[in-house]
Each structure stands twice: as C-alpha cells, then as structure tokens.
Amino acid sequence: MPLIVEDGTGIINADRYVSASEFGTYADDNGPSYADFSDDEIEQAIRRGTRYIDGNYASRWPGSKTYGRDQRLAWPRENVLDSDGSEIPDNEIPWDLKAATIEASHRELIEPGGLVPDAGGAPVTSETVGPISVSYASPQNQNGGRTTRPAIDDLLYSLLLPSSQGRGGDATFLWAWWEP
C-alpha cells in the first residue's frame, strides 16, 4: 500500500509525515545506509516511525489540530510557536518533525518493533540460577519505564511543551516558561 503523506492539508487518511524520497535524501545525507532494504520495508518503517512520534509526543504538542478530528495525524497544528517564538503556519509540517520521524523510521527499519516493543514490565535487575546470583546495574536510559531517545528528543525540542505542561495550549502562553 503506498504511503499517504500529510502535506499540511489535514489529509484524513494520511499515515506519515515524510515520503520515501524524503527518507532517502535525509538518510543519504546523514547515514547510515538503507540500501539493503526493500521499498516495502522502508515504507512500513516510515509508518511505524510516524506512529511512534505521534504516540510518544502527542501529549506535548502545543496548539491543536488544524482540522480537528478530520485529520488522522497530530500535525498540522494551529496556534503554535516554536521555542524561538516564531509562529508555525497552521498548514506546515515542520522540518524538525520530519527529521525526527525519519530518525524514528530508520530505527524501525533496522529493528522492526524496536521503538515500541510489545514486552513490558520492569527491567531485570537481578536473577538467580541454581547457586549463582547476579545483580545488574539499573538501566541508565530508562525514564518512567520508557527508553529515552536523545537524538529524536533533540530534533523535536523546539516543538514540544515542557513535560509538566501537558497537552495543548494557547500560543501566547506556550513559551512563557522559556523566558529567563
């Protein structure tokens, strides 16, 4: 099934923020290679990467969906200022969002399902097999039971509300916390 890319018009059945071509250009410029993967594998990874981005960051997107429930994805949005105080047009899919989606998609290409594994629960901190017991250091990359991904977080930084703000908000209030 071909990709249906959100173009800023609130496409009701859009399932990604980037095209396979945009993915390829970004990956060519930033590496690593994706040459060993089929077009279908790349498209599926882009779908999963987009779902990951919306699923994990939707509660921290500022503003509201431009077309409300008539659009499938969380962007485009209205009443949004970036961290510099610049208004993001309500029909734009920001470059930061596209780059983060490509980063997430590439991770999904390399390890399908790796961003959102089905297995849950706390990490193993110790185990005993027969007379042998082993204790492990606590994981350094866990945040509330979720693995942090600084490369993706950094790309989205200028688009996110602080985690304590929660969902939505008025653009004039959005970056009040930002001022020194």
Side-chain angles (χ1 to χ4, degrees):
M1 183 165 122
L3 298 173
I4 301 171
V5 180
E6 176 56 64
D7 63 3
T9 61
I11 299 172
I12 196 162
N13 58 345
D15 55 1
R16 59 234 30 337
Y17 292 116
V18 298
S19 67
S21 173
E22 289 171 305
F23 175 90
T25 299
Y26 184 92
D28 288 343
D29 291 346
N30 297 285
S33 175
Y34 60 94
D36 294 338
F37 298 94
S38 70
D39 290 346
D40 187 55
E41 289 171 314
I42 292 168
E43 287 183 5
Q44 293 301 320
I46 294 171
R47 282 188 180 98
R48 291 190 309 272
T50 300
R51 281 195 309 265
Y52 171 80
I53 293 295
D54 271 1
N56 282 276
Y57 295 94
S59 66
R60 293 184 57 201
W61 295 138
S64 58
K65 288 181 174 184
T66 301
Y67 302 97
R69 295 181 59 83
D70 289 339
Q71 73 186 56
R72 176 185 269 175
L73 300 177
W75 287 82
R77 301 185 74 76
E78 58 187 3
N79 300 317
V80 177
L81 300 178
D82 67 16
S83 60
D84 293 328
S86 300
E87 184 174 352
I88 297 174
D90 64 4
N91 63 348
E92 180 180 315
I93 306 303
W95 177 89
D96 322 56
L97 177 63
K98 288 183 174 207
T101 301
I102 292 168
E103 287 288 339
S105 300
H106 193 271
R107 291 167 190 240
E108 277 295 311
L109 184 61
I110 302 300
E111 183 185 349
L115 287 175
V116 186
D118 287 337
V124 175
T125 57
S126 66
E127 57 188 337
T128 301
V129 179
I132 300 172
S133 293
V134 178
S135 294
Y136 306 102
S138 62
Q140 298 299 311
N141 65 345
Q142 295 293 317
N143 181 10
R146 292 190 170 224
T147 302
T148 60
R149 295 184 171 78
I152 295 171
D153 293 345
D154 289 350
L155 287 166
L156 292 173
Y157 178 78
S158 70
L159 300 176
L160 296 174
L161 289 167
S163 57
S164 63
Q165 287 289 152
R167 178 183 293 273
D170 176 337
T172 56
F173 173 72
L174 173 61
W175 294 108
W177 67 274
W178 188 258
E179 304 206 343

